[in-house]
Amino acid sequence: MGLAQKKAQEIADELEGWELFDKLPKQVGSFIYNEGIGIVGKILNICSYVNEEQHTRLDITYTDETFDFVPVKTVGLHTFREEKYYSRDRAKFTSMVLEHLQDILKDIDRSEPHKMDWEASDLHFESWDYWKTLPQKIGDFELYATPDNPLNYINGACIFLDYVDFTHGNEFYLSYNYFRNEIYADLVKENLPLTTPAFDINSKVDDRKKLDHLTNLLKEKLLPTLEELSK
């Protein structure tokens, strides 16, 4: 059986002596190296870099769902795979991680400035000042992501406004989808994802008016939405 077809337990049994462990730094900026937590389901957690204050982490994993070594990012309540650095070959994966580790961590470092992709330029987020009037705290929620430091997420989505209650696993977040040219909201209640159409602004709305429309929706519905999530 080739390496690319091995189960997580087989990979775990072969970790001792892997050169990656000798070469990984114990700290990169504000991220601290942690040993892996072992196998959960079909996923082997090999090691991680964690910034507890930022609620961010990078996990180095192996999955026998697809027989890949995979870096997994967590930003706030969002966990997603870094698809650029998948590999079924351990030596190749080692090389990629060692070469790109700092860049991967920079992507999730909330103290680093991040920008939206050029596809959002017609909406002029840089001129949208309403979000700056929003409070940093609303009840147990804290303002975690903002248009001046968004999170480019998965499937063409960019999270540009995010209120998170980390204690209870509740969240309200707004995304802009580059492919569909739409703004929409998603919710998380006790770590379970929910949807809501209450903040939908589709591609038919003129780009120059999208954020004005969103401003009105936030003025009307943000507080009631967060209050409902808190119940």
Side-chain angles (χ1 to χ4, degrees), residues 33-230:
Y33 175 89
N34 285 265
E35 293 184 359
I37 60 174
I39 297 173
V40 179
K42 293 180 177 292
I43 308 297
L44 167 64
N45 184 283
I46 297 168
C47 63
S48 61
Y49 283 89
V50 180
N51 185 322
E52 293 185 357
E53 183 178 356
Q54 290 187 7
H55 305 280
T56 52
R57 64 182 293 139
L58 172 69
D59 290 289
I60 305 300
T61 73
Y62 178 85
T63 171
D64 58 27
E65 295 170 325
T66 59
F67 308 113
D68 285 304
F69 292 94
V70 184
V72 178
K73 299 175 176 179
T74 296
V75 182
L77 298 186
H78 302 278
T79 298
F80 51 106
R81 295 175 174 178
E82 174 50 87
E83 297 180 352
K84 289 186 291 186
Y85 304 116
Y86 275 40
S87 182
R88 294 187 174 187
D89 181 272
R90 195 172 84 172
K92 180 180 178 181
F93 182 73
T94 299
S95 177
M96 288 194 298
V97 169
L98 292 175
E99 180 180 357
H100 297 288
L101 177 63
Q102 292 196 17
D103 292 333
I104 299 172
L105 290 173
K106 188 175 181 179
D107 283 344
I108 62 174
D109 187 344
R110 301 309 296 160
S111 68
E112 290 282 342
H114 299 88
K115 295 182 179 180
M116 294 184 186
D117 290 348
W118 64 268
E119 290 93 339
S121 59
D122 287 345
L123 277 69
H124 297 289
F125 277 92
E126 73 280 359
S127 301
W128 185 46
D129 291 329
Y130 174 72
W131 74 266
K132 298 175 183 177
T133 70
L134 295 172
Q136 290 295 313
K137 291 274 293 184
I138 300 178
D140 292 326
F141 291 88
E142 62 182 84
L143 188 57
Y144 183 68
T146 52
D148 62 342
N149 197 4
L151 169 62
N152 282 309
Y153 193 38
I154 57 174
N155 299 324
C158 176
I159 297 172
F160 64 87
L161 195 69
D162 191 7
Y163 271 103
V164 188
D165 171 2
F166 288 104
T167 301
H168 303 101
N170 298 330
E171 181 181 28
F172 164 87
Y173 63 99
L174 287 166
S175 302
Y176 175 70
N177 189 282
Y178 298 122
F179 304 148
R180 302 198 307 265
N181 190 22
E182 294 177 344
I183 292 172
Y184 55 95
D186 286 291
L187 310 174
V188 177
K189 174 70 172 177
E190 296 178 355
N191 295 303
L192 296 175
L194 303 171
T195 59
T196 174
F199 298 85
D200 286 359
I201 303 174
N202 63 38
S203 60
K204 295 180 181 180
V205 177
D206 190 301
D207 285 349
R208 295 168 295 181
K209 299 180 179 179
K210 279 185 169 68
L211 293 176
D212 289 338
H213 189 22
L214 179 60
T215 295
N216 293 330
L217 291 174
L218 287 169
K219 288 178 179 179
E220 178 186 357
K221 300 179 179 180
L222 176 60
L223 287 178
T225 300
L226 296 182
E227 289 171 356
E228 184 65 25
L229 277 175
S230 296

Side-chain angles (χ1 to χ4, degrees), residues 18-31:
W18 187 6
E19 64 172 323
L20 182 67
F21 296 123
D22 296 328
K23 296 182 177 180
L24 283 175
K26 297 305 179 185
Q27 183 169 349
V28 179
S30 55
F31 288 85

